[in-house]
């Protein structure tokens, strides 16, 4: 659904039954009338060219194959793949889109003056000041094999995530690839004889695969301001691991603490942390860990002594609703909207069952399940981000048509219901790992918040724990708005006769009103909902129990204004990933690093203040 944008700050250089059933009410009966969603503004569907990485393994594979003859990418092993068989299952439109993506990306790289933002800031007399640490988001860090067992030797020191080796292994040796990429289902650690580790250095995150940049634009502009490997650092991590296991297996938080302390000592300046997406959750968890006697034992004033600012880019602070559908059925908008030929090809490579199995074997991703429950995401017939005149509330998150004789729930689900259903219908090992590592609730009093400082599983949730006691630290929230983002789903039973262990699948045949292939769209950056990126920055951290030190929080929302023919959106995109190449975001990061962050003013253009006010999270009386 298109955002209703209003500028408030200074400019910067269903289907439900007619009587929705609550948990206490009797379930809907088959044959009940159905209402379809009709929003006030119909969104123009923009043809997908760069499918978001998390939901688009198939798209990435196709991009690699189509780039075979492109001079931007070399893939000598491609001759071993039967290309004719692959093209037989791909729709012509998808082939054309992926070729446009690769060719457009090459043209963009050739024409874009990558260092221009840094040179502009430097021309104003600014230069590198504070040391800076970059913390990437989910799936953007390459993972390489360090195993020496027979099954791993062919892949030693090769990336099985984030390289063409991954593509080749996925197609030609899928079972071995799955065995490496999935963690042990009981321990959440390395499976027997397998050892995958996060790649390190700037190379770990600047490109996902050749030509598909992630952090590269920011690194280039930092370099033009005077940064290099002595005063900047990428804190890459294995995003598959649950946060406690990041420390248990890799000593990630210990190494991050020591690096920050070394940077402060050598540069005589406090550090700036710059995080993206899931990386912002990692930073928030780190703040608790580093101060706690159960973690880094740095003391309550460690953050105050060592951290100058936290730049939170597209942070999914309250999770992402698409995480539920990925874990529930291995699906999301990107897969639901594929046509029949593409679905066939995708299922040949990785079926819904396999995708769900892989996602569940990556406990780190479950840190992004939605937090705050119905207070943030709504009841069956109400949600804080509902629009005036909206027939179907966003609060009715999982919806089931009752005019079919399927073995599905007889009532619609809120986000809380959906998460309860997920944990009740998945493997015990998955449920136990997730609930031992994370908490998704809401603390309503200061006493609860302070008590949660001693509960590590609460540390990832900003609605159950507080910011550090660091009054001089500054927080900058930069995130995109104005791009339709998944907010709810219609589900049905799997096809009769299908060999699947899944209980349900997205009802992709439902296309009516604003229901697009069974997916209901809301506001956000295309991946993370506005309530997740914007609530804590605009309201939650204004409450004393969540921000007792009164840390200053500056918010700049960035409207999605993509260039029509640019595959990555161009310098004004606000897409969840592509925003890292946005010019004014790069400029803001450089100004903060140069010690001029105070020049950045708040700019809020969405309705987040109204939505946040409606959320059922209140100040203490």
């Amino acid at each position: 659904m298109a955002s209703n944008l209003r500028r408030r700050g200074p400019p910067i250089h269903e289907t439900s039954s007619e009587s929705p059933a609550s948990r206490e009410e009797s379930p809907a009966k088959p044959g009940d009338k159905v209402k379809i969603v009709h929003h006030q503004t119909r969104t123009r569907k923009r043809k997908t060219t760069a499918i978001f990485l998390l939901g688009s393994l198939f798209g990435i594979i196709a991009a690699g194959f189509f780039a075979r003859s492109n001079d931007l990418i070399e893939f000598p092993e491609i001759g071993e793949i039967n290309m004719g068989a692959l093209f037989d299952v791909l729709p012509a439109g998808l082939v054309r889109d992926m070729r446009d993506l690769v060719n457009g990306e090459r043209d963009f790289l050739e024409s874009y003056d990558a260092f221009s933002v840094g040179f502009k800031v430097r021309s104003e007399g600014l230069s590198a000041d504070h040391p800076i640490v970059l913390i990437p988001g989910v799936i953007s860090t390459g993972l390489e094999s360090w195993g020496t067992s027979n099954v791993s030797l062919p892949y030693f020191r090769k990336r099985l995530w984030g390289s063409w080796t991954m593509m080749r292994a996925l197609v030609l040796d899928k079972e071995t690839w799955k065995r490496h990429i999935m963690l042990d289902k009981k321990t959440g650690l390395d499976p027997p004889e397998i050892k995958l580790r996060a790649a390190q250095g700037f190379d770990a995150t600047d490109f996902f695969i050749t030509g598909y940049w992630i952090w590269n634009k920011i690194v280039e502009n930092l370099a033009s301001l005077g940064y290099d490997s002595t005063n900047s650092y990428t804190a890459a991590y294995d995003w598959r691991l649950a946060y406690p296991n990041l420390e248990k297996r890799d000593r990630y938080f210990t190494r991050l603490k020591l690096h920050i302390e070394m940077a402060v000592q050598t540069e005589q300046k406090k550090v700036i942390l710059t995080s993206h997406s899931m990386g912002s959750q990692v930073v928030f968890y780190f703040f608790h860990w580093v101060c706690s006697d159960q973690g880094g034992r740095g003391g309550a004033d460690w953050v105050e002594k060592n951290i100058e600012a936290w730049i939170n880019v597209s942070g999914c602070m309250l999770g992402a609703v698409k995480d539920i559908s990925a874990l529930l059925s291995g699906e999301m908008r990107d897969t639901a909207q594929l046509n029949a030929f593409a679905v066939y090809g995708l299922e040949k490579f990785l079926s819904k069952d396999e995708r769900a199995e892989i996602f569940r074997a990556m406990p780190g991703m479950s840190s992004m399940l939605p937090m705050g429950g119905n207070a943030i995401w709504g009841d069956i017939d109400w949600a804080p981000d509902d629009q005036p005149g909206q027939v179907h509330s966003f609060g009715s998150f999982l919806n089931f048509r009752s005019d079919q004789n399927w073995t599905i729930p007889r009532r619609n689900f809120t986000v809380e219901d959906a998460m309860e259903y997920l944990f009740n219908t998945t493997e015990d090992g998955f449920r136990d790992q997730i609930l031992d590592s994370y908490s998704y609730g809401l603390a309503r009093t200061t006493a609860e918040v302070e008590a949660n400082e001693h509960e590590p599983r609460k540390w990832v949730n900003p609605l159950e724990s507080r910011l550090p006691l660091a009054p001089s630290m500054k927080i900058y929230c930069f995130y995109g708005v104005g791009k339709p983002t998944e907010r709810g789903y219609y589900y049905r039973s799997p096809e009769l006769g299908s060999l699947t262990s899944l209980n349900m699948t997205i009802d992709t045949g439902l296309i009516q009103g604003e229901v697009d292939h069974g997916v209901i769209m809301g506001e956000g950056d295309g991946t993370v909902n506005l309530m997740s990126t914007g609530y804590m920055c605009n309201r939650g951290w204004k409450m004393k129990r969540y921000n007792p030190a009164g840390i200053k929080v500056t918010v700049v929302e960035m409207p999605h204004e993509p260039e029509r023919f640019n595959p990555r959106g161009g310098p004004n995109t606000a897409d969840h990933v592509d925003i890292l190449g946005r010019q004014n975001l790069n400029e803001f990061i450089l100004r903060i690093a140069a010690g001029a962050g105070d020049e950045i003013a708040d700019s809020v253009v969405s309705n987040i203040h109204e939505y946040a006010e409606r959320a059922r999270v209140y100040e203490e009386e």
Side-chain angles (χ1 to χ4, degrees):
M1 186 175 71
S3 300
N4 296 320
L5 301 179
R6 283 189 305 182
R7 185 167 298 278
R8 289 195 186 78
I12 297 289
H13 332 278
E14 151 173 292
T15 306
S16 66
S17 60
E18 290 193 321
S19 298
S22 66
R23 295 186 193 183
E24 294 78 15
E25 293 173 343
S26 59
K29 298 177 181 179
D32 284 352
K33 288 187 177 180
V34 170
K35 291 183 180 178
I36 300 299
V37 178
H38 295 287
H39 297 305
Q40 286 181 307
T41 305
R42 182 173 179 82
T43 303
R44 178 183 178 187
K45 182 180 176 183
R46 184 168 178 257
K47 194 172 185 180
T48 301
T49 54
I51 304 175
F52 176 61
L53 299 176
L54 178 60
S56 312
L57 288 174
F58 176 62
I60 296 172
I61 295 165
F65 292 154
F66 303 147
R68 177 187 180 188
S69 61
N70 189 284
D71 58 7
L72 184 66
I73 300 171
E74 295 182 0
F75 197 156
E77 299 93 337
I78 202 72
E80 298 180 35
I81 299 174
N82 185 341
M83 298 300 294
L86 179 67
F87 285 130
D88 285 343
V89 302
L90 297 179
L94 183 60
V95 174
R96 183 174 60 253
D97 282 351
M98 299 314 299
R99 282 177 174 152
D100 288 346
L101 169 62
V102 174
N103 291 332
E105 189 72 359
R106 178 190 59 189
D107 295 340
F108 178 72
L109 288 169
E110 291 175 352
S111 64
Y112 175 58
D113 187 355
F115 304 93
S116 60
V117 174
F119 291 152
K120 173 181 180 292
V121 174
R122 194 173 73 183
S123 70
E124 299 175 16
L126 297 176
S127 61
D129 189 15
H130 295 276
I132 190 167
V133 176
L134 310 178
I135 298 95
V138 65
I139 80 171
S140 58
T141 296
L143 303 176
E144 57 189 26
S145 176
W146 282 82
T148 55
S149 63
N150 288 338
V151 72
S152 297
L153 279 178
Y155 298 105
F156 184 74
R157 291 295 314 282
K158 294 180 180 179
R159 292 192 187 181
L160 288 175
W161 186 271
S163 72
W164 295 117
T165 300
M166 174 186 77
M167 311 304 178
R168 180 174 181 271
L170 179 57
V171 175
L172 299 178
D173 197 8
K174 185 177 72 172
E175 291 306 316
T176 299
W177 178 82
K178 284 177 58 181
R179 184 175 171 186
H180 280 78
I181 207 70
M182 295 169 60
L183 294 170
D184 187 278
K185 293 181 180 180
K186 291 185 178 179
T187 66
L189 298 170
D190 295 322
E193 301 185 337
I194 302 296
K195 190 176 184 179
L196 221 59
R197 294 294 182 267
Q200 297 300 312
F202 296 105
D203 287 346
T205 60
D206 53 357
F207 288 88
F208 181 73
I209 52 177
T210 307
Y212 195 100
W213 51 263
I214 307 249
W215 284 86
N216 184 61
K217 306 304 177 189
I218 290 175
V219 172
E220 288 173 339
N221 283 305
L222 285 170
S224 62
L225 196 65
Y227 282 93
D228 55 37
S229 57
T230 63
N231 55 0
S232 59
Y233 168 71
T234 297
Y237 57 95
D238 188 339
W239 40 268
R240 301 173 304 155
L241 290 168
Y243 294 170
N245 283 339
L246 275 174
E247 178 62 21
K248 180 179 180 179
R249 195 196 74 177
D250 296 347
R251 300 292 186 264
Y252 174 78
F253 295 114
T254 295
R255 291 187 291 111
L256 179 57
K257 174 179 180 281
L258 293 175
H259 184 90
I260 291 171
E261 291 173 344
M262 181 180 67
V264 172
Q265 183 176 352
T266 57
E267 301 294 326
Q268 295 297 300
K269 290 276 189 177
K270 291 196 285 187
V271 168
I272 289 172
L273 301 177
T274 302
S275 59
H276 174 248
S277 188
M278 177 182 174
S280 295
Q281 287 190 336
V282 172
V283 168
F284 189 75
Y285 185 94
F286 171 71
F287 285 154
H288 295 87
W289 178 91
V290 75
C291 298
S292 173
D293 288 341
Q294 299 179 61
R297 300 178 180 273
D301 60 350
W302 188 93
V303 176
E304 174 70 11
K305 290 178 178 178
N306 292 279
I307 306 299
E308 173 70 17
W310 171 27
I311 304 174
N312 168 19
V313 180
S314 303
C316 51
M317 300 312 303
L318 299 183
V321 298
K322 68 190 303 178
D323 212 34
I324 294 181
S325 64
L327 292 165
L328 191 62
S329 62
E331 301 172 286
M332 53 191 72
R333 177 195 183 192
D334 305 318
T335 59
Q337 292 182 346
L338 294 174
N339 63 33
F341 288 104
V343 168
Y344 174 76
L346 176 58
E347 291 296 312
K348 293 284 283 187
F349 281 114
L350 281 174
S351 68
K352 288 192 286 285
D353 290 68
E354 289 178 304
R355 298 196 303 269
E357 180 188 21
I358 291 171
F359 290 145
R360 294 172 191 175
M362 297 176 173
M365 292 180 59
S366 294
S367 70
M368 295 183 292
L369 284 168
M371 301 175 198
N374 293 356
I376 292 293
W377 303 102
D379 296 325
I380 283 291
D381 56 0
W382 166 88
D385 51 339
D386 283 345
Q387 301 298 301
Q390 184 173 317
V391 174
H392 172 106
S393 172
F394 287 139
S396 186
F397 175 64
L398 293 189
N399 302 276
F400 308 96
R401 288 193 283 177
S402 57
D403 57 346
Q404 303 288 337
N405 187 24
W406 289 325
T407 55
I408 55 174
R410 292 299 183 182
R411 61 181 177 87
N412 295 339
F413 284 172
T414 64
V415 163
E416 278 187 16
D417 296 331
M419 290 181 61
E420 182 180 356
Y421 180 83
L422 172 68
F423 292 134
N424 287 339
T425 57
T426 49
E427 303 86 348
D428 291 347
F430 167 77
R431 181 188 64 240
D432 294 343
Q433 279 190 61
I434 302 311
L435 296 182
D436 286 347
S437 300
Y438 311 117
S439 178
Y440 305 99
L442 170 66
R444 297 188 179 274
T445 67
T446 300
E448 288 180 80
V449 169
E450 291 302 321
N452 289 341
E453 290 302 300
H454 306 289
E455 292 285 342
R457 72 187 193 94
K458 307 278 188 178
W459 292 349
V460 73
N461 185 349
L463 288 170
E464 291 187 292
S465 57
R466 58 168 170 78
L467 287 170
L469 302 178
S472 68
M473 184 181 78
K474 295 170 281 293
I475 296 176
Y476 298 89
C477 293
F478 303 137
Y479 57 87
V481 295
K483 188 171 184 183
T485 305
E486 289 165 63
R487 187 61 175 85
Y489 304 90
Y490 283 83
Y491 265 82
R492 61 171 176 79
S493 294
E495 295 83 357
L496 292 175
S498 60
L499 299 176
T500 178
S501 61
L502 299 175
N503 298 315
M504 59 178 74
T505 184
I506 292 178
D507 191 357
T508 56
L510 183 58
I511 306 173
Q512 198 164 355
E514 286 297 326
V515 182
D516 189 355
H517 293 82
V519 181
I520 304 166
M521 307 303 289
E523 296 179 70
D525 63 9
T527 297
V528 180
N529 297 94
L530 180 58
M531 287 298 290
S532 180
T533 53
Y535 179 81
M536 294 307 300
C537 298
N538 289 280
R539 181 168 173 81
W541 287 330
K542 308 296 184 185
M543 297 183 184
K544 189 170 182 60
R545 70 174 177 271
Y546 297 130
N547 185 5
I551 297 171
K552 181 183 178 183
V553 181
T554 300
V555 182
V556 178
E557 293 186 335
M558 300 181 176
H560 186 53
E561 299 168 345
E563 291 181 350
R564 184 175 180 83
F565 298 108
N566 192 312
R568 300 292 297 275
N572 294 312
T573 180
D575 174 83
H576 184 72
V577 174
D578 297 341
I579 197 173
L580 292 173
R582 185 180 175 112
Q583 286 189 343
N584 68 335
L585 172 66
N586 275 251
E587 181 176 341
F588 290 151
I589 292 174
L590 265 58
R591 291 187 182 280
I592 296 166
D598 291 342
E599 300 173 1
I600 302 171
D602 288 305
S603 179
V604 177
V605 298
S606 74
N607 294 323
I608 184 60
H609 286 154
E610 284 86 346
Y611 302 158
E613 188 72 25
R614 294 176 200 156
R616 292 170 178 167
V617 184
Y618 308 112
E619 290 274 17
E620 290 179 82
E621 296 182 0

